[in-house]
Amino acid sequence: MKNIIAVFLMMLLAVPAVPAQDMLDGQPESISGSRKAVRTSTDVVLGVMPAATLGIALFKRDWKGIAIGAAECAGTLAVTYGLKYAVKKRRPDGSDNHSFPSAHTSMAFVDASFVMRRYGWKFGVPAYALAGYVAWGRTYARKHDFWDVAAGAALGTAVGLIATTPFAREHDLKVAPAVERDPAGNGFVSFGIGGSMTF
């Protein structure tokens, strides 16, 4: 696991962050053909990964795994897009203000973490390699910088490792939605997620 993280970080550090002043008059910058090809390939890999995971689960008749994987993906997407709209960080290519964190990276890493925890290293190592490629590709294609993909990888990995059994079973993990009314009685309601775990 340490080797995978080290390789991932070396790949990310090899791609320099793109300063915001690279934009011309607030317009998105144009990118080269190779960067467009890498951007497209990250989209393809992101589609192939969950399809392959679903194929493994169906082959193994792991119905519970399919439910857990779907819940992890939904939760990861919700948190990722919540952060994107809260933080509003400009993308390195200037295309919009939804750079942080990288959704491609968070989804790739939640899938890789799920596969590794549920089906072992035989499937987990290739999944982590693909997730690392997605993270590198998003920085190379100038859709994200290092911090965007690092946050996406951390988020996806955390959700994948924590929510996938046997970890959840071993640590009595419980996660549930939470609704809380404003104590001052102003009618405001806050929504969130609460949880507990035993160490």
Side-chain angles (χ1 to χ4, degrees):
M1 181 70 169
K2 290 180 184 176
N3 291 338
I4 291 172
I5 293 170
V7 169
F8 168 69
L9 289 175
M10 286 189 310
M11 287 175 22
L12 291 177
L13 293 173
V15 179
V18 180
Q21 51 267 41
D22 281 357
M23 292 184 313
L24 301 172
D25 300 323
Q27 297 297 318
E29 68 176 69
S30 63
I31 61 169
S32 68
S34 67
R35 290 183 194 273
K36 285 181 184 176
V38 168
R39 182 183 296 178
T40 301
S41 71
T42 60
D43 294 337
V44 170
V45 169
L46 190 62
V48 167
M49 286 182 72
T53 301
L54 181 60
I56 294 167
L58 289 172
F59 178 77
K60 292 181 172 282
R61 298 177 188 264
D62 184 11
W63 313 122
K64 184 176 181 180
I66 292 171
I68 292 169
E72 286 180 0
C73 287
T76 301
L77 273 177
V79 172
T80 299
Y81 277 93
L83 286 169
K84 279 181 178 290
Y85 283 89
V87 174
K88 297 181 181 177
K89 181 176 178 273
R90 190 132 183 100
R91 289 187 188 272
D93 70 355
S95 59
D96 64 35
N97 291 328
H98 304 299
S99 185
F100 183 89
S102 167
H104 279 70
T105 306
S106 67
M107 293 307 293
F109 273 86
V110 76
D111 184 84
S113 300
F114 169 82
V115 167
M116 188 272 300
R117 277 304 270 181
R118 193 84 183 165
Y119 306 121
W121 283 104
K122 178 172 59 172
F123 297 107
V125 168
Y128 271 115
L130 289 173
Y133 173 77
V134 168
W136 171 82
R138 299 305 284 174
T139 56
Y140 180 77
R142 298 171 81 111
K143 292 303 279 183
H144 296 285
D145 62 26
F146 171 80
W147 296 110
D148 301 335
V149 296
L155 173 64
T157 300
V159 170
L161 293 179
I162 291 171
T164 303
T165 56
F167 183 94
R169 189 176 332 119
E170 290 170 4
H171 297 282
D172 194 28
L173 176 67
K174 292 181 176 69
V175 179
V179 178
E180 187 174 312
R181 294 206 173 270
D182 180 22
N186 294 326
F188 295 110
V189 176
S190 64
F191 299 93
I193 297 176
S196 66
M197 182 178 0
T198 306
F199 288 98

